Amino acid sequence: MYRRVAIIGGGAAAAALLSELLERQLPQPLHLDWYTGGGNSPRGVAYGTRSDKHLLNVRAASMSMFAARPHGFLEFAQRGDSTIAGTDFLPRRLYGDYLEAQVERALERARAAGHDVRVLPFAVDAIVPEHDGVNVIHGEESARVDAAVLAIGSLPPQPLSGVSDAALESGQYVTEPWGFLAQAKPDARPRKVVLIGLGLTAVDVLLELSALWPNATFEAISRHGLLPEPHLQHASAPADDSSELIESMRDEPYIRTWIRLLREAVAQSADWRTIVDSLRPHTPSLWALLPEVERSRFLRHARWAWERVRHRMPPQVMVAMKALEDADRLHRRRGRLQAVDVAGDKLHLDIRRPHGKGVETMDADLVIQTVGLNTDVRRTHHPLIRQLSTNGHVTPDPLGLGVTATTEGRVKHGDHTWPHFYAIGTLLRGTLWESTAMPEIRQQARNLADRLLKGG
């Protein structure tokens, strides 16, 4: 068993791991340093919103923090409202409350059991992994730990190429939508707002700002101009037996073949969602079969379609999006952002249209970048990740999907693996692909807690 462990990061993945470690009956006290980064711990960005318009896109019954207590979140929610059902899509605000309550419970148990847990509300400046431990440095202090876990979530968003410095300095081009939503005021009253990206982040922005600014219209631009698909009103079970499909995919790990197989399976299914959901437990092992050239092909040609069907909207959110379109307040466009610059008191956008149809121009009072998670270690300004990358302590995933690691979460550097340095959550996307949602993160947390408590 590791005696001293450091967790770096203040969001849901860090909270899940902390709670898994402290919920166990341990043979000896544990010294645990939790560096929360000074953020809204343990809510993080994902669950830091206070708006009831922002809903979980997973039903309540599937959102427990603990793999061993699968209905923990549902039971927490029902203590406040007995009418809540497991099939409901609840506010992310409520899930943030649940995370905070579980962490506080774990800390209370730790104190009673004699564990030494330090919650340190500041960022780590540097990590120096070695073969017999890890050095964690913040300010003038350095701590030697037996093992360290990188649990920082997604990286800060970076402006898209083509966005001028003048546009960024104007304050009218927003790269961090969540920080912007927390400070947006009703009296701003922009008339035309452009969103770059049409995933779930864009949907949340639209829900909030359309209510805040009732006279604004919204232009949403993405490669295919499509919103995420909706969940069914009533829960549907995954396909009863997807073994034949899975084995066929394993036999031929090529994206073109997989797309054909999936289309054939969907054509024989009553609802495509059951096929997509049946793949979820197998996604990491399937992803591991793909060589880099096939992964790259997936990211170029199929990722957008997979994200639409895998990360779906609650049905009531779909109704709200349709209402915005019916009211002529939301217009979806196909295209790629080519350039953004200042033009008087507005921003001027050049949008390259698909199929060689030229460039469309438009002006906007406000442009919000809603392209989803940033996991590209190669281009980030995150100070700790830059330190780790510059010093060769981590190797960036070649396709910009976090850091290279083993399937157990051990971080790699070149062809070698650090024995006591781990990652959890979003930074493992290049290794596991399915690594950003709570059902997967809670299983990672459970497995990693087992490994840490066995000493690696």
Side-chain angles (χ1 to χ4, degrees), residues 271-310:
D271 185 80
W272 57 265
R273 294 165 184 82
T274 63
I275 301 299
V276 172
D277 293 346
S278 73
L279 292 180
R280 188 167 179 174
H282 307 281
T283 302
S285 60
L286 289 170
W287 180 257
L289 295 175
L290 290 176
E292 185 179 324
V293 63
E294 288 298 314
R295 293 184 182 188
S296 179
R297 181 170 287 118
F298 168 80
L299 295 177
R300 290 196 310 272
H301 301 297
R303 178 179 184 169
W304 70 271
W306 174 255
E307 300 282 21
R308 284 192 68 235
V309 299
R310 165 64 187 83

Side-chain angles (χ1 to χ4, degrees), residues 373-442:
L373 300 177
N374 177 24
T375 58
D376 196 345
V377 169
R378 303 166 299 179
R379 298 181 177 87
T380 187
H381 295 302
H382 190 286
L384 177 59
I385 296 299
R386 285 175 63 88
Q387 174 267 322
L388 287 167
S389 184
T390 299
N391 293 340
H393 298 322
V394 301
T395 300
D397 178 83
L399 300 176
L401 299 174
V403 299
T404 60
T406 67
T407 54
E408 296 81 21
R410 281 192 174 92
V411 175
K412 292 183 176 181
H413 59 117
D415 295 329
H416 304 283
T417 301
W418 293 115
H420 312 297
F421 186 32
Y422 299 85
I424 185 174
T426 305
L427 289 181
L428 293 181
R429 197 159 201 202
T431 300
L432 304 172
W433 180 251
E434 194 71 68
S435 192
T436 61
M438 202 62 205
E440 282 71 37
I441 288 174
R442 72 183 177 210

Side-chain angles (χ1 to χ4, degrees), residues 53 121 200 205 234 257 263 270 338 341 382-383 398 402 412 428 438:
K53 298 182 184 69
L200 292 174
V205 170
H234 302 288
T257 302
R263 285 174 173 165
Q338 182 170 296
D341 206 350
H382 190 286
K412 292 183 176 181
L428 293 181
M438 202 62 205

Side-chain angles (χ1 to χ4, degrees), residues 34-93:
W34 184 20
Y35 298 88
T36 65
N40 193 17
S41 172
R43 309 177 81 97
V45 173
Y47 307 111
T49 176
R50 296 291 180 174
S51 173
D52 284 338
K53 298 182 184 69
H54 297 150
L55 303 182
L56 297 165
N57 68 316
V58 176
R59 298 178 194 272
S62 300
M63 283 296 291
S64 174
M65 181 192 286
F66 299 101
R69 298 202 301 271
H71 299 299
F73 173 57
L74 176 60
E75 292 166 359
F76 173 86
Q78 288 175 335
R79 285 197 288 271
D81 182 352
S82 61
T83 66
I84 288 173
T87 55
D88 290 345
F89 297 93
L90 300 179
R92 292 211 301 276
R93 169 196 58 74

Side-chain angles (χ1 to χ4, degrees), residues 63-131:
M63 283 296 291
S64 174
M65 181 192 286
F66 299 101
R69 298 202 301 271
H71 299 299
F73 173 57
L74 176 60
E75 292 166 359
F76 173 86
Q78 288 175 335
R79 285 197 288 271
D81 182 352
S82 61
T83 66
I84 288 173
T87 55
D88 290 345
F89 297 93
L90 300 179
R92 292 211 301 276
R93 169 196 58 74
L94 183 60
Y95 195 76
D97 295 343
Y98 166 70
L99 290 176
E100 289 183 339
Q102 296 306 304
V103 167
E104 183 55 38
R105 177 176 181 270
L107 293 175
E108 288 176 359
R109 288 172 60 92
R111 288 190 286 267
H115 299 304
D116 181 13
V117 181
R118 297 193 303 165
V119 181
L120 305 167
F122 41 74
V124 168
D125 297 312
I127 296 175
V128 182
E130 297 176 347
H131 290 287

Side-chain angles (χ1 to χ4, degrees), residues 12-345:
L17 177 59
L18 174 108
S19 298
E20 280 283 357
L21 287 168
L22 297 180
E23 287 279 325
R24 311 295 178 90
Q25 295 290 334
L26 305 182
Q28 54 190 336
L30 176 69
H31 184 115
L32 186 59
D33 296 331
W34 184 20
Y35 298 88
T36 65
N40 193 17
S41 172
R43 309 177 81 97
V45 173
Y47 307 111
T49 176
R50 296 291 180 174
S51 173
D52 284 338
K53 298 182 184 69
H54 297 150
L55 303 182
L56 297 165
N57 68 316
V58 176
R59 298 178 194 272
S62 300
M63 283 296 291
S64 174
M65 181 192 286
F66 299 101
R69 298 202 301 271
H71 299 299
F73 173 57
L74 176 60
E75 292 166 359
F76 173 86
Q78 288 175 335
R79 285 197 288 271
D81 182 352
S82 61
T83 66
I84 288 173
T87 55
D88 290 345
F89 297 93
L90 300 179
R92 292 211 301 276
R93 169 196 58 74
L94 183 60
Y95 195 76
D97 295 343
Y98 166 70
L99 290 176
E100 289 183 339
Q102 296 306 304
V103 167
E104 183 55 38
R105 177 176 181 270
L107 293 175
E108 288 176 359
R109 288 172 60 92
R111 288 190 286 267
H115 299 304
D116 181 13
V117 181
R118 297 193 303 165
V119 181
L120 305 167
F122 41 74
V124 168
D125 297 312
I127 296 175
V128 182
E130 297 176 347
H131 290 287
D132 58 350
V134 182
N135 296 302
V136 180
I137 301 165
H138 59 93
E140 301 297 321
E141 296 186 26
S142 176
R144 177 78 171 183
V145 297
D146 299 321
V149 180
L150 200 58
I152 61 172
S154 61
L155 301 171
Q158 298 296 310
L160 298 173
S161 61
V163 181
S164 71
D165 290 341
L168 294 172
E169 292 166 1
S170 72
Q172 294 169 270
Y173 188 94
V174 175
T175 57
E176 298 197 38
W178 292 109
F180 177 80
L181 288 183
Q183 301 176 15
K185 305 296 183 185
D187 56 3
R189 297 179 185 173
R191 300 291 298 181
K192 184 174 181 179
V193 180
V194 173
L195 275 60
I196 309 299
L198 257 176
L200 292 174
T201 299
V203 169
D204 283 335
V205 170
L206 286 165
L207 288 170
E208 191 71 12
L209 295 186
S210 63
L212 187 69
W213 299 327
N215 295 319
T217 59
F218 300 86
E219 304 281 341
I221 301 162
S222 73
R223 179 179 173 184
H224 291 273
L226 297 172
L227 286 161
E229 289 284 355
H231 285 280
L232 293 176
Q233 188 68 44
H234 302 288
S236 57
D240 290 336
D241 185 10
S242 59
S243 57
E244 183 176 344
L245 170 63
I246 301 300
E247 287 307 310
S248 296
M249 295 175 74
R250 292 189 194 284
D251 289 342
E252 296 189 68
Y254 304 102
I255 292 302
R256 289 190 178 92
T257 302
W258 285 7
I259 290 174
R260 175 179 59 78
L261 290 170
L262 286 170
R263 285 174 173 165
E264 291 172 356
V266 166
Q268 298 171 20
S269 172
D271 185 80
W272 57 265
R273 294 165 184 82
T274 63
I275 301 299
V276 172
D277 293 346
S278 73
L279 292 180
R280 188 167 179 174
H282 307 281
T283 302
S285 60
L286 289 170
W287 180 257
L289 295 175
L290 290 176
E292 185 179 324
V293 63
E294 288 298 314
R295 293 184 182 188
S296 179
R297 181 170 287 118
F298 168 80
L299 295 177
R300 290 196 310 272
H301 301 297
R303 178 179 184 169
W304 70 271
W306 174 255
E307 300 282 21
R308 284 192 68 235
V309 299
R310 165 64 187 83
H311 301 287
R312 305 193 284 269
M313 295 186 289
Q316 60 266 53
V317 173
M318 178 200 67
V319 171
M321 291 299 102
K322 186 176 186 305
L324 281 177
E325 290 190 304
D326 290 346
D328 204 32
R329 295 188 62 201
L330 170 60
H331 309 109
R332 293 182 281 122
R333 296 176 181 269
R334 298 179 63 188
R336 292 177 181 269
L337 182 69
Q338 182 170 296
V340 182
D341 206 350
V342 173
D345 62 350

